[in-house]
Amino acid sequence: MNHKKTIAPLLLSALAVSSCGGGGSGASLDFDFNARPTYLNDIRQTTYDGVGDDLLTAGMGRTGLQDDQAPGYEGAQPTTEELRRNAIYTNYRALVDTTTAGGYGTLYGPNIDAQGRVGSGEGKVAGLEAIAYSDDGTGRRNITLMVQVPDGFDRSRPCIVTATSSGSRGIYGGISTGEWGLKRGCAVAYTDKGTGTSPHDLQTDTVALVDGTRTTATLAGTRAAFNAGLSAADLAAFNAATPQRLAFKHAHSGQNPEKDWGNATLQAVEFAFYVINERFGDRSPGGQPLRSFQPSNTTVIASSLSNGGGAAIAAAELDTQGLIDGVAVSEPSVQLPANAGVTVQRGGRTVAVNGRPLIDYVTQAHLYQSCAALAPSLASTPFAATFAIRFADPAFPAAANRCAGLRAQGLLTATSTSAQAEEALARLVSYGWEPESGALHASLAAFEVAPAIAVTYANALSRSSVKDNLCGYSFATTSSIGAVGPTPPAVLADMFSTGNGIPPTAGVQIVNNRSRGVPVRDVFSFNTAGVPTWNLEGALCLRNLLTGTDAAAQRLQAGLDETRRNGNLRGKPAIIVHGRDDALLPVNHTSRPYAALNRRVEGSASRLRYIEVTNAQHFDGFIGLTAALPGYDSRYVPLHVYLNRALDAMYDHLVNGQALPPSQVVRTVPRGGTPGDAPAITAANVPPIAATPAAANAITVTSGAISVPD
């Protein structure tokens, strides 16, 4: 148990002042002044009144966040305030289902208070927002950090929650986690962890600043959120050879940002301490702010989801200063050691392939998923029928040709498309995907999720420059038939708000530079024989970077090793929640083996709990897309509910001494009904995390092994 000491800052200040004044004793005291971290550059602070604008909803309230119409812009050049408002709108809706039937406004949302009570208000939160870069002075890193401090910050029970961005998103990419902290009266520490949404448009040589506004690379200088770093000669040569291309920070910074996600999260916490002490800390007799709030008297929970959750775990592993008290994360992306030596079982059956890193299983998905999506056994799953019409029609059989191409490469053996698709599906299951994940393959393949991640992470891990065109891939805006063209200024201006940092995004597509004839959008490209195979050659090239021995492969493999975690949470209490059906970050490669590794590393000192949620998957935001993705609503419950509950449990453990819940499977109840028109969710669909789970739901974790019931 890790109770925080509650120290009254004002009392400490009074004692400090009295000890250094009067009495003739000559006593003196060195004040602990609030020093600004040296890596912070250009801190900007804005206060929001909670009426016209606010920390959580940018003035839109819960009603505006739910509105299908984005707030938009009044003029041709978006203002800083407009960009922020649209960024919060886009990111919040990307992370959670904002339909009433899906639980918004009843189970979660701005009108739900910290105790889970449903209110009728708009949920706006007044307070201070401070934003800055973390950099070494060169402008090459420029990791964005942000702190939100609500006016209701509880000085008697101070707390900080991290909300590192998910995916490759920008600074508001963890806003749905930040919501929990703001409601608790906690400061929220955000970081984009060296990723971000705004590209360097190489043709016009324009970049974004920290607030999303754009200018020329020359005028921005070291203030650019991201500059691809090409010399004038290289830029001219690149534009001549491959015009109208875009560089993105996660893919093309040359920094391998994932290796530093933990440090970026820790710096966000340090920034939060600095900001709250500037605002609420005691003052010396000379009026200088003191470090009244410190790790010793402030509860700090590292949290977030997906990549942000993985960053929270990395931060806890790296935390030698004792900044973090506990961890509560959802569906984290964690890269295990190369030979983790762990065993994963489900229902008594050993999962042969587990604990692989993201670049491994995502390049496997890139090879097989578009073929597997045609499996007859998946015909009734979301988007499967539409996928077959788009990509298996004789007029453009890209997915069917992918199946045939895999057979020609010796990667499948079946002879018919349907049999090849079933074989491809079986290959994914044997590589660690749960059978329940199969229902998601068609929609994820259609949205090009695996190629998007494979291309971006291969570039990032190998520290490739945009000019390298790794495996023949690039990023550009394309027409409806896939032709490369210029990115409209209005689209560029808005990308800070509407992009996700990893193409396809906001009209920017993955381009196959090696397509027969001319470069075109990847999914529409042709191989050297003039056959559309969804760029099988590119997928094989990316896979070879993991398995091969050439220079590019060695660079990627070295970069991968820099991102691996060690499983040592330093005895910190932690809760991981993960959806069993997750097809993006399969549980057998992430949370399950990490729990086993942590127990092997920490032994009896481990305080990690693993909560696996049935009928839950990676993209809560897809559940509400009932017109585009009918069937998500009838099949899946929001995992966001369980992240909130994990945060509740961790806070109660740290502050009130409540016991952590044991590791367990939570068996939810799908909404059912007609796909696209499922009945409204109720509390019965999302049962609580049990204080004492039934034996049939208990997860057993021993040294290097985890056993999960069916």
Side-chain angles (χ1 to χ4, degrees):
M1 206 157 298
N2 185 26
H3 299 286
K4 275 291 184 184
K5 296 178 181 178
T6 302
I7 301 176
L10 290 175
L11 176 59
L12 285 180
S13 179
L15 290 172
V17 171
S18 65
S19 68
C20 63
S25 65
S28 64
L29 181 69
D30 291 329
F31 286 102
D32 190 1
F33 294 113
N34 188 37
R36 170 176 168 165
T38 57
Y39 50 78
L40 291 178
N41 289 282
D42 191 24
I43 299 176
R44 306 180 182 192
Q45 298 190 41
T46 307
T47 57
Y48 297 101
D49 62 9
V51 181
D53 209 340
D54 76 298
L55 300 179
L56 176 58
T57 76
M60 294 174 284
R62 68 172 175 127
T63 303
L65 288 176
Q66 191 175 35
D67 193 337
D68 289 337
Q69 182 65 47
Y73 309 98
E74 291 188 5
Q77 294 297 322
T79 66
T80 299
E81 293 77 14
E82 289 173 332
L83 287 167
R84 176 181 179 271
R85 183 172 297 115
N86 279 272
I88 288 175
Y89 174 88
T90 300
N91 282 282
Y92 192 95
R93 292 170 61 89
L95 298 172
V96 303
D97 175 5
T98 55
T99 64
T100 301
Y104 181 76
T106 57
L107 296 175
Y108 55 87
N111 63 308
I112 310 296
D113 70 12
Q115 286 70 45
R117 295 182 295 248
V118 179
S120 59
E122 289 296 311
K124 298 179 183 180
V125 180
L128 170 75
E129 185 171 287
I131 192 166
Y133 284 140
S134 167
D135 190 54
D136 57 7
T138 66
R140 296 300 306 148
R141 290 171 55 81
N142 278 358
I143 297 170
T144 305
L145 306 178
M146 186 176 76
V147 178
Q148 292 182 326
V149 185
D151 283 352
F153 180 77
D154 189 346
R155 299 180 65 186
S156 65
R157 304 181 88 176
C159 53
I160 297 170
V161 176
T162 72
T164 301
S165 66
S166 66
S168 303
R169 295 183 176 277
I171 194 62
Y172 295 100
I175 190 68
S176 60
T177 304
E179 177 179 9
W180 184 93
L182 293 173
K183 291 175 181 178
R184 284 277 181 180
C186 301
V188 183
Y190 300 84
T191 174
D192 71 357
K193 65 192 188 310
T195 58
T197 57
S198 298
H200 183 173
D201 182 355
L202 299 165
Q203 194 71 45
T204 62
D205 200 18
T206 58
V207 297
L209 303 176
V210 71
D211 59 6
T213 57
R214 297 188 67 85
T215 187
T216 66
T218 300
L219 289 176
T222 59
R223 297 180 299 121
F226 165 61
N227 183 313
L230 302 184
S231 68
D234 282 346
L235 180 62
F238 179 87
N239 285 334
T242 47
Q244 311 295 352
R245 298 306 202 273
L246 302 168
F248 281 81
K249 189 169 185 177
H250 190 170
H252 300 128
S253 70
Q255 302 283 327
N256 190 12
E258 187 175 357
K259 72 179 176 60
D260 295 322
W261 286 356
N263 282 322
T265 300
L266 291 172
Q267 287 187 345
V269 174
E270 291 175 334
F271 186 24
F273 273 113
Y274 173 74
V275 171
I276 62 176
N277 279 311
E278 286 291 295
R279 188 170 193 194
F280 294 115
D282 300 328
R283 296 298 189 262
S284 72
Q288 296 164 287
L290 304 176
R291 280 202 326 133
S292 306
F293 300 97
Q294 302 184 28
S296 61
N297 62 12
T298 303
T299 300
V300 179
I301 302 175
S303 185
S304 196
L305 68 161
S306 193
N307 285 349
I313 287 174
E317 289 188 355
L318 293 170
D319 183 21
T320 59
Q321 302 179 68
L323 293 172
I324 294 170
D325 298 298
V327 177
V329 298
S330 175
E331 55 194 19
S333 176
V334 285
Q335 319 313 327
L336 272 67
N339 297 294
V342 300
T343 300
V344 175
Q345 289 190 331
R346 174 182 169 185
R349 301 178 300 278
T350 298
V351 178
V353 181
N354 69 75
R356 299 293 177 89
L358 174 66
I359 193 64
D360 185 335
Y361 58 81
V362 81
T363 52
Q364 186 81 346
H366 187 14
L367 283 174
Y368 289 104
Q369 195 171 57
S370 57
C371 175
L374 299 176
S377 61
L378 302 180
S380 63
T381 61
F383 212 77
T386 304
F387 182 88
I389 292 171
R390 291 187 182 180
F391 301 112
D393 186 275
F396 187 71
N401 289 345
R402 170 59 70 87
C403 292
L406 289 169
R407 182 176 186 274
Q409 291 287 330
L411 299 175
L412 294 175
T413 59
T415 55
S416 69
T417 297
S418 59
Q420 289 164 354
E422 292 289 358
E423 185 181 357
L425 177 60
R427 293 289 180 99
L428 292 175
V429 172
S430 67
Y431 211 75
W433 274 263
E434 284 296 328
E436 291 90 340
S437 300
L440 296 155
H441 289 319
S443 55
L444 297 192
F447 290 169
E448 301 171 70
V449 172
I453 295 173
V455 171
T456 287
Y457 279 77
N459 275 278
L461 292 169
S462 62
R463 299 177 185 259
S464 294
S465 167
V466 65
K467 69 180 181 180
D468 294 332
N469 291 310
L470 186 67
C471 287
Y473 289 103
S474 62
F475 299 141
T477 298
T478 66
S479 69
S480 60
I481 59 172
V484 173
T487 302
V491 173
L492 270 177
D494 186 41
M495 211 172 295
F496 170 85
S497 300
T498 58
N500 63 21
I502 182 167
T505 178
V508 179
Q509 306 294 342
I510 305 169
V511 171
N512 178 7
N513 292 348
R514 299 172 180 170
S515 179
R516 180 174 176 177
V518 295
V520 296
R521 182 179 170 183
D522 188 54
V523 69
F524 296 150
S525 64
F526 295 84
N527 65 14
T528 54
V531 177
T533 63
W534 211 312
N535 192 6
L536 175 59
E537 291 82 359
L540 290 168
C541 177
L542 291 172
R543 183 69 181 170
N544 183 68
L545 293 173
L546 179 77
T547 61
T549 59
D550 61 20
Q554 290 179 38
R555 288 197 305 271
L556 181 139
Q557 293 158 22
L560 170 59
D561 286 342
E562 292 179 320
T563 69
R564 296 185 188 274
R565 310 308 176 201
N566 58 38
N568 185 0
L569 292 172
R570 301 175 181 271
K572 301 179 192 298
I575 302 174
I576 296 175
V577 298
H578 208 133
R580 174 174 284 182
D581 296 13
D582 196 327
L584 175 61
L585 303 178
V587 289
N588 288 319
H589 292 304
T590 50
S591 297
R592 286 177 178 176
Y594 186 83
L597 175 66
N598 168 259
R599 183 60 61 89
R600 196 192 75 190
V601 171
E602 293 195 83
S604 60
S606 169
R607 293 197 283 166
L608 170 62
R609 305 293 190 267
Y610 173 51
I611 311 298
E612 187 164 296
V613 182
T614 65
N615 308 304
Q617 47 81 49
H618 200 82
F619 298 102
D620 276 8
F622 287 2
I623 299 173
L625 303 179
T626 53
L629 292 173
Y632 269 73
D633 59 337
S634 56
R635 288 173 177 264
Y636 302 116
V637 301
L639 190 62
H640 181 61
V641 168
Y642 289 96
L643 174 57
N644 285 342
R645 290 175 179 173
L647 280 161
D648 289 340
M650 184 55 64
Y651 183 86
D652 286 341
H653 174 69
L654 295 172
V655 175
N656 302 318
Q658 295 295 315
L660 292 174
S663 296
Q664 61 190 274
V665 173
V666 178
R667 302 193 186 278
T668 65
V669 181
R671 289 157 61 190
T674 303
D677 191 26
I681 197 170
T682 69
N685 296 107
V686 283
I689 300 171
T692 307
N697 298 332
I699 294 175
T700 303
V701 186
T702 56
S703 179
I706 184 170
S707 179
V708 181
D710 271 332

